[in-house]
Amino acid sequence: MLPTIDWEDGEVVMVDQRKLPAKEVYVRSKTAKDVAKAIKTMVIRGAPAIGVAASMGVVLEVRRSSATGTTQLATEFYRACDLLAATRPTAVNLFWAIERMKRTFADAMKAGQSVDELKDTIDAEAKRVHDEDVASCRALGRFGAEVVPAEGHVLTHCNAGALATGGYGTALGVVRAADEAGKKVAVFADETRPFLQGARLTAWELLRDGIETTVITDGMSGALMRSGRVDVVVVGADRIAANGDVANKIGTYTVAVLAKEHGVPFYVAAPVSTVDLATPDGSAIPIEERDTKEITHLGAAQLAPDGADVWNPAFDVTPARFVTGIITDHGICRPPFTESLRAACEQAGAPNRPA
Ligand code: MRU
């Protein structure tokens, strides 16, 4: 399993995803503020992974608290939650994880737990968030493997792999599960401008697993599909609205439209913690806009001239009509998504942000 995020000596350790694949270096966090910075600056990224990170950030804060009473601990706990929630706006898993930590804390307070007991309760809940995320990825991978042919090519966009989750991955979890089931699967990875999650991270983690990977630039996917070499598209998601509209890394929408044009099935792989029943459709999903320097520069090298205007939305929304199916840890949801997504959430027991 890849070392996306873990505990070491009471600190949270994350592989620095900004440096991969050139360097495998680790960033240590001692406080919720450190974790918030790591999320904001993309040391760790990917919807499920930032949810896991946020829950661990909350643990760091309550663990280091010198509060002697539960009211003081609660103040510090909720402050940490607010800080972590203000990092990135689009991936709903972040808010899902924080809400889950808040619910657990509130229930434990109601049950009259002491400061030490509260700390242990929060610690245990964060571990569950992490463990369940890995289990969800494995479950959705098993469901999704059926959409991958016995021998063929999957096209993916961005990185929805072990690095983007607690481990194993969503879209790449489907690829891994197909590979483990003995299918001969190879991957086309869109490079994914501007942060290059596909070229840097998807290719790196798949090659470590011995899965054949071909990197293409984002502009090549249409020609590739037209050549008949893509059997199925599988991507991840940052937030799925109640009607099946999907927010994912910028460029996903383009891939979905091209897939429809070329008759290639377009699947989204995500745990139900990415489904947001409180958001009726994609128009209500907040889209993060990031620093323009991500576009104008590549590291220290300037690509665009001074004075050029830049638009840098980190995500786009793919309308549900372009989506063949949504592979969740509770089965593959098919259109009409309003019904199938609600059913998957109900089956999961604790619907995320209920409508
Ligand atoms: O900006 P990022 O790298 O956090 O964006 C990540 C994506 O868009 C992923 O496809 C999505 O979070 C799914 S990760 C399993």
Side-chain angles (χ1 to χ4, degrees):
M1 194 71 83
L2 281 169
T4 307
I5 183 166
D6 215 339
W7 289 102
E8 201 176 88
D9 303 328
E11 295 176 0
V12 174
V13 184
M14 307 170 198
V15 66
D16 189 342
Q17 300 195 28
R18 301 166 305 180
K19 305 269 165 59
L20 288 172
K23 285 191 207 138
E24 193 173 327
V25 293
Y26 291 83
V27 172
R28 304 181 79 87
S29 296
K30 293 190 170 76
T31 64
K33 197 171 166 197
D34 292 343
V35 173
K37 187 173 170 209
I39 295 173
K40 228 183 164 93
T41 58
M42 311 268 277
V43 168
I44 190 161
R45 31 64 51 199
I50 64 178
V52 170
S55 61
M56 290 163 90
V58 171
V59 173
L60 283 174
E61 213 54 28
V62 298
R63 278 272 173 237
R64 71 197 280 270
S65 167
S66 53
T68 49
T70 55
T71 313
Q72 175 62 24
L73 186 69
T75 306
E76 293 171 17
F77 169 84
Y78 287 109
R79 200 185 299 136
C81 289
D82 289 347
L83 181 74
L84 289 154
T87 50
R88 299 193 71 190
T90 305
V92 79
N93 307 62
L94 175 68
F95 307 101
W96 170 86
I98 292 170
E99 279 310 312
R100 187 168 156 168
M101 300 303 284
K102 282 184 180 171
R103 255 194 328 268
T104 302
F105 190 86
D107 289 348
M109 283 284 278
K110 247 188 246 148
Q113 289 193 356
S114 66
V115 166
D116 285 344
E117 286 168 335
L118 282 166
K119 290 184 177 187
D120 288 346
T121 298
I122 284 304
D123 202 327
E125 187 64 8
K127 287 204 172 74
R128 272 194 292 273
V129 167
H130 193 172
D131 291 346
E132 287 173 23
D133 182 59
V134 179
S136 299
C137 287
R138 287 194 178 273
L140 75 82
R142 280 191 295 274
F143 285 118
E146 78 175 44
V147 310
V148 178
E151 182 169 354
H153 282 88
V154 174
L155 173 79
T156 192
H157 190 74
C158 194
N159 171 265
L163 289 166
T165 60
Y168 202 69
T170 57
L172 299 192
V174 169
V175 170
R176 286 196 166 97
D179 179 67
E180 285 163 16
K183 295 188 173 185
K184 214 172 157 305
V185 54
V187 172
F188 286 113
D190 280 353
E191 67 169 350
T192 317
R193 278 277 291 156
F195 197 70
L196 305 178
Q197 290 94 330
R200 297 188 304 104
L201 308 177
T202 295
W204 183 75
E205 67 164 269
L206 287 178
L207 291 176
R208 273 174 64 126
D209 276 6
I211 295 173
E212 186 188 321
T213 307
T214 304
V215 177
I216 60 167
T217 69
D218 298 350
M220 294 173 185
S221 54
L224 186 69
M225 286 188 222
R226 196 169 185 197
S227 77
R229 292 161 70 200
V230 178
D231 297 290
V232 58
V233 176
V234 187
V235 297
D238 284 82
R239 191 185 296 229
I240 300 170
N243 72 339
D245 289 352
V246 175
N248 191 48
K249 179 53 51 194
I250 188 74
T252 302
Y253 171 46
T254 316
V255 176
V257 174
L258 286 165
K260 193 165 189 116
E261 169 69 16
H262 295 96
V264 177
F266 179 92
Y267 284 93
V268 174
V272 290
S273 53
T274 307
V275 179
D276 181 8
L277 296 182
T279 296
D281 61 53
S283 67
I285 297 176
I287 300 294
E288 174 185 12
E289 292 204 17
R290 293 188 62 85
D291 191 340
T292 55
K293 259 196 145 178
E294 287 183 354
I295 306 253
T296 57
H297 290 68
L298 193 59
Q302 183 167 345
L303 304 175
D306 289 335
D309 283 339
V310 171
W311 181 49
N312 186 17
F315 304 97
D316 58 26
V317 173
T318 299
R321 69 177 182 280
F322 292 101
V323 179
T324 310
I326 299 175
I327 304 161
T328 78
D329 41 336
H330 290 271
I332 303 182
C333 298
R334 305 266 177 196
F337 291 116
T338 308
E339 277 98 82
S340 57
L341 287 172
R342 192 180 312 117
C345 288
E346 273 166 19
Q347 207 186 322
N352 176 26
R353 289 164 45 90

